[in-house]
Amino acid sequence: MSLLRLAWRNVLRQRRRTTLLSLVVIYVTVAVLFLFGFLDGYGESLVEAYAEYVEAPVVVAREVWWQDPDPENGFRELPAVAHPLVQAATPRLSLYALLRSPYRMQGGVVLGVDPQGEKVLSRVPFRVGEGRWLQGPGEVVLGHRLAERLDVRVGERLVVETGKEALGLLVVGLVRAGVGNVDFGGVYLHLEDAQRLSGREIVATHLALKVPRGKEEGVAKALNQALPEGLRARGVWELMGPIRADYEASRLFYVPLLSLFMLLAAIAVVSTTYVSVRERLREFAVAESLGLSPFRLAAQVALEAALASGLGLLLGLLLGYALLWYTSTHDVFGPLMRLSVELLPESGLSEHLYTALRPVYALYAAMVVGLSALLALLFPGRLVLALEPTRYLKGE
Amino acid sequence: MKRFGILLLALAAFALGQSPLEKLKSALDRLRGPAHQAVYALTVERPGSSRTYRLRVYTDGERAHLRVLEPKAEAGMAFLSLGQDLYLYDPRLGRTLRLPPSGRSERFLGSDLTYQDLMGRDLEELFQVTEEGGTLRLMPKPGAPTPYGRVEVYLKEGFIERVLYYDQRGQAVRELRLGSYQRLDGAYLPRTLELKDLTRQGYRTLVEVTEVQVGPVPERCFSPLYLERGC
């Protein structure tokens, strides 16, 4: 306890040095908190976009369809899916098609859905900004940016053509979901129309399942053990495609980057401590001659470094969490995300991004304190351990 | 002379008794012409540029085989339309590809014409026909896969003179004009076609029909196997 008091007194004694050290640690703490919060928020935003808008929490399809998403690999009859956590299920039929207006022609993926079933599972039906959601066959609902590109409006006819069939469908609604895939590429039509367009005896290509948030992978895994051979369930995380790889790569990239940040901060703390120790060698020699063991002195040096960086950590945590709280409740990154959605319309990015706020980030940030103490023990601490008190007391 | 007069009256009565749909069918028959071989000169005009293709065409009025003769870069490309089936041979690929029915609405050789304009009979299949003041007014059938809101076919003595395509907001977006028709062995074929994209200034395609030989076209011309070697 006296060692701690001694170290604390030394930290307070050299206020300017302590302030500088703390600033470095504050900066690193805020950076660590913010980067983890941003990254987790980005991941949550992606999962939400894919689970609620683009795909579904869990999707069941034939193994061959996963390998080749051609309607001919779809279901001739719908499979029975049973799991206590499955809250709802709806069939979907996706197929590639050509969309034609009098002005433009564009390829895309159209999704045949059961209008009522979709309301239970997806948020898309509730994001119709103009017109209304599907009610029956002969209708189509489009993402509003796609409608702009094709230059079609509510009440007009859009031609949907596949290799087998073509239909003129009435545009009844435009979706404003704020999710790139939906706004730029969403084409929703009645399941019966999709079945007709597929030109085959296919009732659906896949079954979308609603399960509680966070249970997607577990349910998919459990289903895979119970489903008949040839069928496979995939959780939302698996459905995210290349954007998932991008997210995971970002995480992998951030870990060494943040480690480097922390190491540099710890080095800054230790180098200042080193200078401080060198200036105070005589003081340490006196303390040693008074009976304090070199090991306790080295520990005091490490404690000083830990206290100085700990002070920075506390302030950094306060600032960092305040920043995270603000960015997790306000859509600060909205404009940036809107630009990203424009740039990568098919990546499933959402126009809104809120950072995550988790207590565990404090633990990650606290590593800088431990690292500083360890390095202080290794370098300035060794200086104290190698101290010859008689030489310093003689004034040599 | 008296017999000729009776015949003329009978023809007039037949013409008067024709329904709008029959009038359209008969006008389209004249547009597609009899079975013939010909060279079509296709000029694609764009703002500041123009490109001309020469095509050898074989058709029996229902099916068509088109082969690019010029320019050199595209020479050898061939197209075959068999009802809903469309085949394309590209010498650079060395393969014959079957295009889906949706391919029929694609632009032919980057021009303003679609495969459908050249070979199809969409107008009678997808639209309900009425007649207003000598003009055929075509409205899409429910669920018909056409992006147009209305099509107007202007006839002159049973021949199509002009076809105007309207979008669904009542604005004309495409215009097809047919030049003088040539009489060929009891049938007719237009000498020139002009297609304008009314939404874009300076986008125009001209087709001139020359070197026409009326007569049966060998059946092999309508086989995908002969797309590569020619018929």
Side-chain angles (χ1 to χ4, degrees):
Chain A
M1 190 62 194
S2 59
L3 200 65
L4 182 67
R5 203 175 293 161
L6 205 61
W8 181 243
R9 200 198 66 192
N10 283 331
V11 165
L12 292 181
R13 206 177 65 184
Q14 300 176 22
R15 283 191 182 148
R16 190 175 293 173
R17 219 168 257 173
T18 306
T19 308
L20 283 172
L21 286 180
S22 300
L23 280 177
V24 174
V25 180
I26 288 170
Y27 171 68
V28 170
T29 307
V30 171
V32 169
L33 257 60
F34 179 73
L35 285 176
F36 274 109
F38 184 85
L39 204 58
D40 284 343
Y42 176 61
E44 282 173 10
S45 158
L46 283 175
V47 169
E48 184 182 320
Y50 273 84
E52 308 281 343
Y53 295 93
V54 183
E55 297 278 357
V58 175
V59 170
V60 175
R62 292 177 67 209
E63 192 78 57
V64 281
W65 186 79
W66 288 118
Q67 285 156 15
D68 175 14
D70 189 290
E72 72 177 8
N73 294 326
F75 297 124
R76 259 75 181 171
E77 60 185 69
L78 290 177
V81 177
H83 189 281
L85 288 177
V86 174
Q87 297 163 330
T90 188
R92 288 174 176 170
L93 200 162
S94 81
L95 64 162
Y96 287 98
L98 201 65
L99 311 166
R100 195 153 57 96
S101 76
Y103 322 95
R104 293 285 299 271
M105 198 152 61
Q106 186 175 322
V109 179
V110 305
L111 196 64
V113 297
D114 165 22
Q116 291 309 315
E118 207 63 22
K119 278 184 177 175
V120 182
L121 204 107
S122 163
R123 283 198 212 165
V124 172
F126 305 100
R127 295 294 175 131
V128 177
E130 193 186 334
R132 59 166 174 81
W133 178 238
L134 293 172
Q135 283 178 353
E139 297 176 345
V140 63
V141 169
L142 300 173
H144 75 108
R145 296 301 298 267
L146 176 66
E148 275 171 28
R149 282 183 178 182
L150 290 165
D151 198 1
V152 284
R153 299 173 190 170
V154 171
E156 294 181 353
R157 197 179 45 257
L158 177 78
V159 178
V160 181
E161 299 179 20
T162 60
K164 302 281 177 187
E165 265 290 347
L167 284 173
L169 302 172
L170 187 70
V171 180
V172 294
L174 303 181
V175 182
R176 289 174 191 274
V179 174
N181 287 23
V182 177
D183 289 348
F184 283 85
V187 185
Y188 305 90
L189 42 93
H190 198 275
L191 194 61
E192 284 177 23
D193 287 331
Q195 287 164 352
R196 204 171 141 194
L197 282 167
S198 80
R200 302 181 178 97
E201 290 171 1
I202 297 294
V203 291
T205 50
H206 56 284
L207 205 57
L209 309 179
K210 185 183 171 92
V211 302
R213 185 94 181 257
K215 304 283 181 190
E216 299 93 346
E217 307 311 310
V219 172
K221 208 172 166 185
L223 282 174
N224 281 331
Q225 286 168 351
L227 283 170
E229 204 178 336
L231 295 186
R232 187 161 175 235
R234 284 188 177 181
V236 63
W237 198 244
E238 231 185 314
L239 298 169
M240 281 164 55
I243 200 76
R244 175 191 169 190
D246 174 67
Y247 173 72
E248 284 176 344
S250 300
R251 268 201 101 83
L252 284 176
F253 176 72
Y254 275 128
V255 170
L257 188 76
L258 288 175
S259 305
L260 188 69
F261 252 53
M262 286 194 220
L263 184 68
L264 289 177
I267 288 172
V269 170
V270 168
S271 60
T272 314
T273 312
Y274 189 86
V275 173
S276 162
V277 167
R278 276 208 79 85
E279 284 174 357
R280 291 156 54 209
L281 281 176
R282 184 181 289 272
E283 181 188 316
F284 285 115
V286 172
E288 199 176 325
S289 67
L290 288 174
L292 217 61
S293 73
F295 290 105
R296 281 178 70 83
L297 279 175
Q300 183 195 321
V301 169
L303 211 54
E304 278 178 29
L307 282 174
S309 53
L311 205 62
L313 175 76
L314 279 177
L315 291 169
L317 288 177
L318 274 175
L319 267 175
Y321 274 112
L323 181 69
L324 281 187
W325 173 81
Y326 187 77
T327 50
S328 67
T329 50
H330 295 73
D331 191 19
V332 178
F333 303 105
L336 178 77
M337 292 308 290
R338 276 191 278 283
L339 281 177
S340 305
V341 168
E342 290 270 351
L343 199 67
L344 303 162
E346 285 167 21
S347 59
L349 292 177
S350 169
E351 282 184 4
H352 309 286
L353 194 151
Y354 298 95
T355 54
L357 202 154
R358 294 177 187 162
V360 73
Y361 303 150
L363 199 67
Y364 301 150
M367 283 164 70
V368 74
V369 176
L371 201 59
S372 300
L374 185 72
L375 290 180
L377 202 62
L378 285 176
F379 299 102
R382 278 174 66 187
L383 212 62
V384 176
L385 286 174
L387 187 71
E388 290 175 35
T390 48
R391 204 175 130 205
Y392 279 94
L393 289 173
K394 280 180 191 168
E396 283 175 14
Chain B
M1 188 65 190
K2 194 179 170 185
R3 280 172 65 185
F4 180 72
I6 291 167
L7 187 67
L8 207 65
L9 274 173
L11 276 172
F14 175 70
L16 283 171
Q18 266 188 321
S19 71
L21 179 62
E22 284 166 342
K23 279 186 184 175
L24 179 71
K25 277 186 176 172
S26 127
L28 283 174
D29 286 342
R30 288 173 169 180
L31 181 67
R32 301 290 170 227
H36 68 271
Q37 297 179 32
V39 172
Y40 287 19
L42 181 88
T43 306
V44 183
E45 290 182 3
R46 295 288 176 261
S49 70
S50 170
R51 191 173 174 85
T52 300
Y53 298 88
R54 274 167 51 82
L55 312 166
R56 166 70 66 188
V57 178
Y58 306 88
T59 177
D60 63 357
E62 293 292 330
R63 302 170 295 176
H65 175 140
L66 292 87
R67 179 168 293 277
V68 180
L69 305 174
E70 287 175 16
K72 268 187 183 173
E74 272 95 359
M77 279 181 83
F79 308 88
L80 178 63
S81 170
L82 304 174
Q84 283 299 302
D85 294 328
L86 192 64
Y87 296 87
L88 157 70
Y89 171 71
D90 188 336
R92 285 169 294 191
L93 298 174
R95 293 183 65 181
T96 297
L97 308 170
R98 183 177 172 273
L99 301 181
S102 54
R104 299 177 68 77
S105 51
E106 283 179 26
R107 290 170 180 274
F108 177 72
L109 288 171
S111 71
D112 301 295
L113 286 163
T114 62
Y115 294 94
Q116 194 64 51
D117 292 323
L118 280 168
M119 308 160 191
R121 295 181 78 99
D122 268 9
L123 293 181
E124 62 187 275
E125 286 162 10
L126 305 180
F127 294 87
Q128 288 165 338
V129 194
T130 54
E131 191 173 359
E132 281 177 26
T135 302
L136 298 180
R137 193 180 157 90
L138 281 61
M139 299 299 285
K141 290 178 185 171
T146 172
Y148 302 110
R150 180 175 101 231
V151 178
E152 286 177 0
V153 180
Y154 295 84
L155 299 177
K156 191 179 176 185
E157 293 164 6
F159 292 95
I160 296 176
E161 197 179 28
R162 185 174 168 226
V163 182
L164 256 182
Y165 296 82
Y166 290 84
D167 66 10
Q168 296 171 63
R169 296 158 210 167
Q171 189 190 336
V173 288
R174 282 175 99 219
E175 183 187 21
L176 176 68
R177 277 183 180 276
L178 286 310
S180 59
Y181 283 78
Q182 44 195 321
R183 190 181 173 125
L184 303 161
D185 202 18
Y188 296 90
L189 188 70
R191 282 182 211 281
T192 58
L193 288 94
E194 179 193 15
L195 199 109
K196 270 188 193 172
D197 183 341
L198 302 178
T199 61
R200 290 185 286 187
Q201 213 173 9
Y203 279 66
R204 191 168 78 129
T205 300
L206 297 164
V207 182
E208 196 184 347
V209 183
T210 58
E211 301 174 34
V212 185
Q213 291 171 30
V214 177
V217 176
E219 193 55 31
R220 65 175 181 274
C221 290
F222 305 116
S223 163
L225 297 172
Y226 283 83
L227 266 186
E228 185 177 344
R229 66 179 88 160
C231 69

